Amino acid sequence: MSDDKGFKSRWKSTPFAGANAGYLEQLYEEYLRDPGSVDPQWQALFRDLPKVDGIDKDISHAAIRAQFRHLTPTRRHADVDVTLIHKQVKVLQLINAYRFRGHQLADLDPLGLRDKGHIPELTLAHHELSDADLDTEFETGSLVGPDRARLAEIINILVNTYCGSIGSEYMHLVDTAEKRWIQHYLESARGHADLSEGQKRDLFSRLTAAETLEKYLHNKYVGQKRFSLEGAESLIPMLHRLIQHGGESGVKEMAIGMAHRGRLNLLVNVLGKTPEELFREFEGVHPGNGNGTGDVKYHLGFSSNLDTPGGLLHVALAFNPSHLEIVDPVVEGSVRARQDRRQDWEGKQVVPVLIHGDAAFSGQGVVMETLNMSQSRGFSTKGTVHIVINNQIGFTTSNQDEARSTLYCTDVAKMVNAPIFHVNADDPEAVLFLTQLALDYRMRFYKDVIIDLVCYRRHGHSEADEPMATQPQMYQHIDNLRSCRDLYQQRLEAEGVIDAVGAKQMIADYRDALEHNRPVVHEMIPPEQADYPYSADWSAYHTRDCVSDIDTTVDPQTLQALHEKLDRLPEDFKLHRTVEKIMDNRRRMASGELAMDWGFAETLAYASLLHEGYPIRLSGEDSGRGTFFHRQAVLYNQHDGEAYVPLRNLSDDQANFLVINSLLSEEAVLAFEYGYATTDPRTLVIWEAQFGDFANGAQVVIDQFISAAEQKWNRLCGITLFLPHGYEGQGPEHSSARLERFLQLCAQNNMQVCIPTHAAQIFHLLRRQMLRQCRRPLIVMTPKSLLRLPEASRPLSELSKGKFYRVIDDEQVQNPESVKRLILCSGKVYYDLDHRRQQDQREDVAILRIEQLYPFPEKALQAALRRYPNVQDYIWCQDEPMNQGAWYSSQHHMRRAIGEQHGLQYAGRPLMAAPAVGYPSLHKQQQENLLADALGTPA
């Protein structure tokens, strides 16, 4: 060594000084006590020691000496040959560097346009090694393979495993067991699939099907949008393998969510949709069955039963609108409902699969929200297999800096410690290997896993688009690129697995099947032969009778018994003094000493439904106690913080009650609950906004699913939304649930919009939602101040009689003939009007409440109006500004009920851009003005 003296000087100042067996043992003991107390290089070395059964801190160091037998320095008198140990440590660091960063040198881009750059950590020089060390044998540490190998052999293993067609990111995981498992899976196989000749032929046939269908449609339906899979054909064998291996692993159901690209190919070549049915959709033929208005072909869902080595596996592809990733939480909610139905608490039988676009995965916030739910209580589905169809271009952008701020589109998944595997889509064998790895990981650790299928898009965003205009270089390259099928055919011919004649015949056979409408998925089990007992039974709701009343009363004895169970707490359970007062008041309500408030009536509605066998899911921010402290469904022991849920402790055979204080999300949580409700008609599914106007964060779910899914896709859903609404001077963000938006979306009896104004109404409304043979969304404008307003309380006896009244007549009017002014209203403003009427001693005014604004109760209103024969002025009064609330959307219904001979006047706030004012004094003045306008008196 040219600078031996200098090296020894530097060596003495490092942790390696005096590196002999005794020193190593001392360091190892320090590492066992506190890993952070030793140098990081020693941490890496000790961490990679082989595990010996039964070893802990107090054992003999024989196992350690055995590990270091090749590292024990050669002694020259008192000197130590430290160079070998130093290089050994560097080799172990090089191995870990490939595990961390090998993906950056992997051959992932089928276009060959990706600049891999220079990764210093993967060079010998960075680790103080050189070509002269390539023939030196070193310990391989935890690298799967021989215990010792030449450095050249070690590098060959690392390059094949981490820098081939697969790029693996898993070293960011915090769970060592997960990292070790992935490491062993990859390194033992050297990152390659070991397929038999039969499996290779099957893989080739599925690539043939994928490519041939696209070319067939391209020629048959020129210029029509189909969002071709060309450039990513390996997705088809990938999904087939996922399903088949899922069956082998005990999976009984898969729910798939995906956007447009490749959807038609998946429907035909994986799920077994008939070519004839697809062709009809291309030709735009209405089925003529009267079921809704329909949707474009690349939004439609499908389900089928497929034969696998593990038996029947039911696969459902969710309906999906054009809003890209919004289907993700919908699928997760559907999966959770399926798991609950099967009592699949561990997630072994039902698996969600989400297929994303690259730009959408990194760009859409709902992806992050969905990932954030993956391990949370109430929303976890025990792990999702995510597949990103990464065409490297997004929508129309071609530069990474226009699409995201990270190296990979999948980097967002690191927030939940998900392993991420990138794979070159033009290496279909590597794709199959990763597919199996991903599912095996999910089934072992029950966590999300990501496959980034790096491919390209042969055509534009749609087939009518001209991509050359914006990406000339990329598409000049693509125009000269052989397809994945062609490349794999060349490979298999070289291996002697297939020949050119047989490959050509596969195309002819597939085209013939398309033209003669023969099945192209041979694993599909006909419905009459499928033994699938876990489907939700929607047959009882096909009448869709959402008009008829139904008995929602509960006898007094049952109510009393339910309250006694709700009032029973565990021994030594101490409530907070405020909660104790609420519980004490409920005891007095049950005895008739106090009138029943909203919270008590709501709780009894839940208890009665649970008693009758209807499960309940209630989620939202602060839903356990209620934003306004009215619900108290979850009680907390002030001694130890232990939670107790009375509604879960009614009886041993009651239905399940789950209340969830959801994560701070509106969009993903509402979509999740929607997905759950579309899958389980027997469960009352409720999503509660903390304030009603927070629902605007979930508007896409309301617009594209809740209001329109029945007409678009013939999908029924009984989800209930609680949206606190009321003008109490709390400013523009805490007043309005944007009632006008829901009413604007109302048509064809698609949903119900109600504003109950007293406690008995919410009781009967919730029971009606479940007891009727109807499953349509219910939008409830729930109150804030009315939760404790004495006038909104009702006698307990009203739960044992009556019903939900769509229109409430004026109980205060003793002489209907004297009424000259009749005010129609909804919600809290009724109590303001009534209070002012009493102040002014107005006996000529009647106030009617419209409690259901849609479907509008025209007949019920007409019946109530007939009681007042001498009305001269009809007024609609609302708290909201004139351009908001119910005025614009509902006045034609009211005018029709009143009759053409009478006019209808407006009393409310003037036209406003914001939902409400922010200054309390201005709010008070506006309120005075609208009450005066309604009653026809000076303000």
Side-chain angles (χ1 to χ4, degrees), residues 732-852:
E733 307 307 328
H734 295 114
S735 297
S736 175
R738 293 295 194 171
L739 171 63
E740 65 279 357
R741 292 182 180 171
F742 292 95
L743 292 176
Q744 187 181 39
L745 293 169
C746 287
Q748 300 176 300
N749 292 323
N750 60 334
M751 56 184 169
Q752 309 156 84
V753 180
C754 298
I755 312 183
T757 54
H758 66 65
Q761 283 285 83
I762 191 63
F763 175 88
H764 290 293
L765 179 59
L766 290 173
R767 286 181 55 76
R768 186 185 79 166
Q769 179 70 355
M770 294 309 295
L771 298 180
R772 281 196 309 193
Q773 288 188 325
C774 168
R775 288 296 178 266
R776 285 206 175 99
L778 169 62
I779 314 302
V780 187
M781 301 284 133
T782 57
K784 296 179 287 183
S785 62
L786 302 192
L787 296 174
R788 293 176 181 83
L789 186 71
E791 292 91 332
S793 299
R794 305 299 288 184
L796 184 65
S797 60
E798 291 196 9
L799 307 188
S800 300
K801 60 183 180 181
K803 61 180 182 179
F804 174 75
Y805 295 98
R806 297 173 176 87
V807 175
I808 298 180
D809 201 352
D810 194 333
E811 300 171 347
Q812 308 296 329
V813 174
Q814 302 300 318
N815 183 11
E817 288 78 10
S818 67
V819 171
K820 300 293 190 292
R821 193 175 188 88
L822 192 144
I823 303 173
L824 303 175
C825 67
S826 291
K828 178 195 75 71
V829 74
Y830 164 77
Y831 295 100
D832 298 329
L833 288 165
D834 185 45
H835 180 69
R836 176 60 59 85
R837 176 179 61 174
Q838 293 182 44
Q839 273 187 341
D840 296 346
Q841 298 181 349
R842 295 288 298 275
E843 296 183 359
D844 63 332
V845 174
I847 309 171
L848 272 61
R849 283 171 273 177
I850 302 176
E851 302 274 293
Q852 178 173 295

Side-chain angles (χ1 to χ4, degrees), residues 49 305 307 381 505-506 587 614 704 750 756 791 934 937:
L49 287 171
N305 298 307
D307 189 26
T381 53
Q505 187 61 44
M506 280 188 184
R587 296 183 194 104
Y614 293 97
Q704 300 192 358
N750 60 334
E791 292 91 332
T937 58

